[in-house]
């Protein structure tokens, strides 16, 4: 279907009406906290599973908040008189936020979902009816031009993005505008692009209803709409799904295999200012006879440091089934479902793809002679938001690049907060088999260290230089201090690189 079959959208020019609507929503506690209080945790969680019955049962009263939940979240027609008590109805009807249905009822034209900002802000994400994650329509079959609300991928990207004051930010493939909304809090100028003009319209609505500054909205694919302009921050949750064809605009890249993600990464280097960050979510192919890490390293443009984290891997059958279900194909004609499944596997077989990885790609523009490229697999739980963790990673890259072993030994270090030591060994044994340092924040890494490494980390409080600490350890364990100084910098470097130790400034 084309975009012409989709419902009309509210006017994006009536900022005054959006402001009045926002005031009314906040006045009725139509916020993330307000919803949780009204619905209760079980019904609130059920909405995220696209189950609306608990929420319908919890909104059988006639309070203003119940009216708004039924109208905007559950997309139920509400009697005109009830809406009049809560919203500026005539202005909302005139500007297209609401529409008349039946004899005397009002319905919403878009899905409006409260969203809590990182600083406690009350924001609202606009999307097409039934297309908010957990919205009344679920995530089933959708018109190819629809604009979705906030999903797990959106919040993941928002959480890993480096947040610091910048002059310019670009949200590439903005969708409902959540990344642009976040960027508007710390960027002087925000540009948002999308191939789908409907997405740009909805982004304008999201920003206006959330009380955020308007963005520079541009239609087009990849970097075409912005030409050769450069930015301090570029973020993108692109249509990264690897599929045969591009049936669904909101998720399918339209290029063969993982070419869209590769192209995006390869082209972004020239659009970053010095020190600027580019952060993406992406899928990549695991090709028979090819190392997936080497594949991703080949994507990194010149002049950029990179940190690429693979969070998940699915074999091709799991991957095909996930996205066929996402589109609701499993609920349609079985023969058509099977044909689409076959086409997916044919495509993977032709490309010798055995699995698909998903993860995060962060690039930083650097003038360093030897950029740092880290590609790793980390499927374990992490603690969001990770923006500060990402920034700290690249700070450590700079530090290690500027310090050879002699400089490391002369340096002073501190053990990062909330790192604990675990000793593993047989009960009653005099010495542990190994010692593990474990983080309880950020990436929540764990790393094995020897007794020297554990002892070194344990006394790092910034007072003594690394060399003097090693000399003291050598005396305690009866080891040649020169040999200990020779073999330990590699372990210190690893502990700094992984964020267990930090330079004491």
């Amino acid at each position: 279907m084309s975009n012409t079959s989709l419902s009309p959208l509210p006017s994006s020019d009536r900022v005054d009406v959006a402001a009045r609507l926002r005031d009314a929503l906040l006045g009725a506690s139509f916020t993330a906290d307000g919803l949780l209080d009204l619905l209760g945790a079980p019904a609130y969680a059920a909405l995220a599973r696209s189950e609306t019955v608990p929420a319908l049962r919890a909104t059988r009263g006639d309070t203003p908040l119940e009216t708004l939940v039924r109208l905007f979240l559950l997309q139920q027609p509400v009697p005109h008189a009830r809406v009049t008590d809560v919203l500026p109805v005539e202005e909302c009807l005139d500007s297209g936020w609401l529409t008349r249905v039946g004899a005397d009822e009002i319905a919403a034209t878009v899905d409006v979902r409260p969203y809590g900002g990182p600083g406690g802000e009350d924001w609202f994400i606009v999307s097409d009816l039934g297309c908010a994650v957990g919205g009344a329509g679920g995530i089933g079959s959708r018109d190819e031009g629809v604009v979705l609300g906030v999903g797990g991928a959106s919040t993941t990207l928002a959480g890993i993005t480096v947040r610091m004051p910048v002059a310019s930010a670009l949200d590439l493939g903005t969708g409902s505008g959540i990344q642009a909304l976040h960027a508007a809090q710390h960027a002087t100028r925000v540009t948002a692009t999308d191939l789908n003009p409907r997405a740009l319209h909805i982004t304008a609505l999201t920003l206006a209803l959330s009380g955020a500054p308007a963005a520079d909205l541009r239609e087009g694919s990849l970097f075409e709409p912005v030409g050769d302009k450069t930015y301090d921050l570029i973020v993108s949750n692109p249509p990264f799904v690897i599929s045969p064809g591009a049936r669904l605009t909101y998720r399918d890249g339209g290029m063969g295999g993982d070419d869209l993600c590769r192209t995006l990464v390869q082209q972004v280097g020239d659009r970053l200012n010095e020190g600027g960050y580019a952060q993406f979510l992406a899928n990549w192919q695991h090709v028979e006879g090819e190392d997936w890490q080497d594949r991703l390293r080949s994507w990194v443009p010149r002049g950029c440091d990179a940190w690429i984290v693979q969070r998940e891997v699915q074999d091709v059958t799991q991957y095909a089934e996930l996205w066929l279900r996402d589109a609701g194909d499993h609920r349609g004609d079985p023969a058509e479902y099977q044909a689409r499944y076959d086409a997916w596997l044919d495509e993977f077989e032709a490309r010798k793809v055995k699995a698909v990885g998903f993860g995060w790609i962060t690039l930083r523009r650097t003038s360093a002679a030897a950029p740092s490229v880290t590609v790793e697999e980390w499927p374990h739980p992490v603690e969001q938001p990770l923006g500060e963790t990402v920034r700290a990673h690249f700070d450590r890259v700079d530090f290690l690049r500027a310090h050879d072993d002699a400089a490391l030994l002369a340096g002073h270090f501190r053990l990062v907060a909330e790192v604990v030591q675990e000793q593993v060994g047989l009960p009653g044994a005099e010495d542990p088999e190994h010692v593990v340092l474990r983080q309880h924040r950020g990436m929540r890494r764990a790393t094995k260290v020897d007794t020297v490494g554990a002892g070194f980390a344990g006394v790092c409080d910034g007072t003594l230089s690394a060399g003097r600490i090693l000399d003291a350890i050598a005396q305690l364990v009866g080891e040649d201090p020169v040999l200990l100084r020779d073999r330990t910098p590699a372990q210190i470097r690893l502990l700094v690189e992984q964020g267990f130790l930090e330079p004491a400034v």
Side-chain angles (χ1 to χ4, degrees), residues 131 404 456:
C131 292
D404 60 16
F456 178 86

Side-chain angles (χ1 to χ4, degrees), residues 260-283:
L260 182 134
C261 291
R262 175 185 57 78
T263 301
L264 182 59
V265 172
Q266 289 179 336
Q267 292 183 355
V268 77
D270 292 336
R271 272 78 178 187
L272 283 176
N273 295 325
E274 179 69 19
Y277 286 91
Q279 298 187 262
F280 313 116
L281 301 185
N283 273 174

Side-chain angles (χ1 to χ4, degrees), residues 2-17:
S2 68
N3 290 5
T4 56
S5 65
L6 294 166
S7 61
L9 293 172
S11 169
S12 59
D13 297 326
R14 296 294 305 275
V15 179
D16 58 326
V17 178

Side-chain angles (χ1 to χ4, degrees), residues 76-289:
Q76 301 292 308
V78 177
H80 186 284
R82 282 183 59 184
V83 183
T84 302
D85 292 337
V86 186
L87 299 176
V89 172
E90 294 308 316
E91 292 94 329
C92 288
L93 286 168
D94 180 58
S95 61
W97 287 97
L98 302 175
T99 186
R100 300 182 192 275
V101 294
D104 191 31
E105 290 187 314
I106 301 293
T109 58
V110 288
D111 197 317
V112 176
R113 175 164 293 262
Y115 177 82
E121 302 92 345
D122 288 314
W123 292 340
F124 300 97
I125 308 299
V126 180
S127 62
D128 272 308
L129 290 173
C131 292
V133 171
I139 58 169
S141 184
R142 295 172 285 226
D143 184 290
E144 65 176 20
V146 299
V147 179
L148 273 60
V150 177
S154 301
T155 55
T156 294
L157 179 58
I160 67 173
T161 299
V162 175
R163 302 293 175 196
M164 58 185 184
V166 294
S168 57
L170 171 64
D171 176 12
L172 199 73
T174 187
S176 61
I178 178 175
Q179 309 305 331
L181 180 57
H182 276 277
Q185 310 310 303
H186 61 102
T188 304
R189 299 183 306 279
V190 176
T191 301
T193 70
D194 207 288
L195 187 63
N196 182 1
R198 190 175 181 88
L200 297 177
H201 191 137
I202 283 182
T203 291
L205 298 175
T206 290
L207 294 173
L209 194 58
S210 297
D216 177 10
L217 304 176
R218 302 189 179 201
E219 181 182 344
S221 177
L222 295 176
F223 293 102
E224 177 203 11
V226 298
D228 57 1
K229 291 181 180 297
T230 58
Y231 300 86
D232 301 312
L233 173 67
I234 299 175
V235 293
S236 183
N237 177 17
F240 53 68
V241 176
I242 299 171
S243 62
R247 184 163 59 104
L248 299 173
T249 306
Y250 67 86
R251 68 166 206 197
D252 298 332
M255 296 185 184
D258 53 16
D259 283 356
L260 182 134
C261 291
R262 175 185 57 78
T263 301
L264 182 59
V265 172
Q266 289 179 336
Q267 292 183 355
V268 77
D270 292 336
R271 272 78 178 187
L272 283 176
N273 295 325
E274 179 69 19
Y277 286 91
Q279 298 187 262
F280 313 116
L281 301 185
N283 273 174
W284 43 78
Q285 298 172 149
H286 285 227
V287 179
E288 186 177 339

Side-chain angles (χ1 to χ4, degrees), residues 152-153 155-161 281 307-312 358-360 376-390 396 418 438-446 498:
T155 55
T156 294
L157 179 58
I160 67 173
T161 299
L281 301 185
W307 184 22
I308 301 174
V309 182
Q310 179 167 274
R311 296 288 290 155
E312 185 179 357
F358 165 80
W360 318 326
E376 63 174 321
E377 184 165 20
W378 190 254
H380 312 293
V382 299
E383 184 182 58
Q384 286 274 33
L386 279 168
E388 182 59 24
T389 298
V390 174
R396 294 193 300 270
E418 298 197 42
R438 187 179 302 277
Q439 301 167 352
H440 281 270
R441 290 289 179 91
M443 293 294 286
R444 294 180 175 172
R445 294 188 187 277
Q498 294 191 347

